[in-house]
Amino acid sequence: MIIFGVAFLALCTLTGIFVGELLGKAIGVPANVGGVGIAMVLLILIGSYLKKRGLFNPESEQGIKFWSAVYIPIVVAMAAQQNVYGALAGGPMAILAGVAAVALAFMLVPVLDRIGRKKLEADPTLPADPVKPLTSSGRG
């Protein structure tokens, strides 16, 4: 059932946040340190384990897929907001580092695009133009 997938995601999230809080206190930082990352790693590892054992059915997987599509962008936006506050408080060097990281990421987009196209060209089972759907006659 889909609700089991949602419950599994919630359990991993709560565990990750708890461990992140403990980790933050252990190193003397008054914040959650890596809780979301820990939750995602738990979700991947435990989900893979359960799927290999046949204990995780496709309906449960749909619950995780739905919430992960919603959850990940929200978490990224929250983390970006915290990073902006930290950058403004940290001064110009922190802002410069952030701008440089974003510029580098934008410059890597064409490189990643070329890598993806090479994989499409190398795989003969994929259509030549993945965007253009095939018609009923089998021709594009």
Side-chain angles (χ1 to χ4, degrees), residues 67-78:
W67 281 108
S68 65
V70 174
Y71 175 75
I72 292 171
I74 291 171
V75 169
V76 169
M78 288 176 7

Side-chain angles (χ1 to χ4, degrees), residues 39-52:
M40 288 183 176
V41 169
L42 283 173
L43 184 67
I44 292 167
L45 293 177
I46 297 172
S48 296
Y49 176 80
L50 292 174
K51 194 171 182 180
K52 285 180 187 176

Side-chain angles (χ1 to χ4, degrees), residues 43-122:
L43 184 67
I44 292 167
L45 293 177
I46 297 172
S48 296
Y49 176 80
L50 292 174
K51 194 171 182 180
K52 285 180 187 176
R53 303 290 182 269
L55 301 172
F56 207 57
N57 59 13
E59 291 87 17
S60 297
E61 212 170 324
Q62 287 178 348
I64 291 175
K65 286 180 182 177
F66 169 74
W67 281 108
S68 65
V70 174
Y71 175 75
I72 292 171
I74 291 171
V75 169
V76 169
M78 288 176 7
Q81 181 182 11
Q82 288 178 346
N83 290 342
V84 168
Y85 291 144
L88 292 175
M93 189 53 131
I95 294 172
L96 181 64
V99 170
V102 170
L104 180 65
F106 280 131
M107 286 188 282
L108 286 175
V109 169
V111 174
L112 295 174
D113 182 50
R114 275 188 239 125
I115 292 171
R117 288 180 191 223
K118 286 180 185 175
K119 286 183 181 178
L120 284 175
E121 291 169 2

